[in-house]
Amino acid sequence: MHFPTTIDKRIANWVSRQLNESWLGDVDRCSSFSPDPDLPDNFVAVRPNDYSGSGFSRGHITRSGDRSNNRIDNCSTFLMTNILPQTQDNNGGPWLELENLSQDLAREGKELYIISGGNGEGGTGTKGFATEIGKPKISVPATFWKVVVVLDRPGLGNRGVTEETRVIAVNMPNVPGIQKKSYKDYLTTVDSLEELTGYDFLSDVLEEIQKVIEAKKDAE
Ligand code: MN
Ligand code: MN
């Protein structure tokens, strides 16, 4: 996993990772949130209880269950740099549904490349609208976005990406009341997410192929 972090927002800009069956196992959930010891000295390391009473859940960017093959990997998902202030209805609703789909695909033998993060500022938790929470002023994203690239099998790398490759792109609001919604209600294109975030996703993929797969919306 890779965690670039904006110094003034106290949250990761994005997290990128691979998922295939080899990452999956049955270790107990670490459940021990902790400050990230690897942040540079001039960064404020967010503490687990900075979220207490905020009205937002500690939303994993890389899902705990996607790193369940050993305890060290699993605990690394509980570092606060992998956590964003997320409404429980999003975290346990459409976001979870897409996490479940991704894990199912990995168990079927696919290899996924997943990039995700928060965008914008201001969400509505159980205590109302907030642009930041906690003493260190942790930025609350307005939306949660994700790009999932689905390759046929592990080890293909870039050459496994073709114009037919399935790419699932979503952008979900950080609001209550969406628990019964499907991730399919929030499908978008990678092109739209590039415009929204300013990032060039899948930049190691040939430009001609990016053009095709970044303009396609996954089937509803
Ligand atoms: Mn979650
Ligand atoms: Mn791109």
Side-chain angles (χ1 to χ4, degrees):
M1 283 178 283
H2 187 62
F3 305 110
T5 307
T6 307
I7 193 162
D8 57 342
K9 285 188 146 186
R10 329 264 189 241
I11 54 174
N13 294 326
W14 47 264
V15 173
S16 176
R17 67 280 193 189
Q18 181 201 68
L19 179 63
N20 60 42
E21 220 179 356
S22 73
W23 297 100
L24 304 175
D26 54 8
V27 293
D28 287 339
R29 212 174 136 87
C30 180
S31 287
S32 164
F33 291 96
S34 54
D36 191 329
D38 292 329
L39 280 172
D41 288 345
N42 57 333
F43 279 61
V44 174
V46 169
R47 293 162 308 157
N49 62 10
D50 289 328
Y51 279 60
S52 301
S54 70
F56 291 89
S57 69
R58 292 175 292 204
H60 283 77
I61 315 179
T62 291
R63 185 188 197 179
S64 158
D66 287 351
R67 290 293 181 268
S68 50
N69 193 29
N70 64 73
R71 191 169 163 80
I72 291 173
D73 281 357
N74 188 254
C75 287
S76 75
T77 71
F78 285 84
L79 292 174
M80 293 306 290
T81 42
N82 185 45
I83 301 298
L84 293 178
Q86 185 175 24
T87 65
Q88 193 47 45
D89 285 353
N90 182 336
N91 194 1
W95 192 256
L96 175 64
E97 187 196 16
L98 181 53
E99 287 175 331
N100 286 338
L101 170 70
S102 302
Q103 220 177 72
D104 288 347
L105 290 169
R107 284 187 204 285
E108 286 167 20
K110 310 278 192 201
E111 180 161 86
L112 282 56
Y113 286 87
I114 306 173
I115 312 135
S116 57
N119 185 76
E121 212 166 42
T124 305
T126 56
K127 299 197 169 156
F129 182 81
T131 55
E132 53 190 33
I133 58 166
K135 222 173 171 188
K137 300 195 192 304
I138 304 155
S139 177
V140 177
T143 68
F144 279 66
W145 55 265
K146 183 178 268 188
V147 175
V148 182
V149 180
V150 186
L151 298 184
D152 287 342
R153 60 179 189 279
L156 289 173
N158 290 348
R159 69 198 156 86
V161 182
T162 71
E163 295 181 0
E164 310 301 321
T165 295
R166 183 179 185 188
V167 179
I168 308 167
V170 295
N171 190 36
M172 304 180 186
N174 200 16
V175 295
I178 61 170
Q179 199 184 350
K180 295 267 149 57
K181 292 263 199 184
S182 168
Y183 78 89
K184 293 177 181 178
D185 295 318
Y186 302 107
L187 286 171
T188 183
T189 63
V190 173
D191 279 341
S192 304
L193 292 183
E194 290 188 337
E195 200 169 321
L196 181 77
T197 62
Y199 301 136
D200 178 9
F201 297 110
L202 318 184
S203 53
D204 284 347
V205 172
L206 285 176
E207 194 59 52
E208 307 93 86
I209 296 178
Q210 280 188 61
K211 232 172 234 157
V212 176
I213 61 178
E214 293 185 350
K216 266 192 297 196
K217 225 187 199 185
D218 192 49
E220 284 177 40

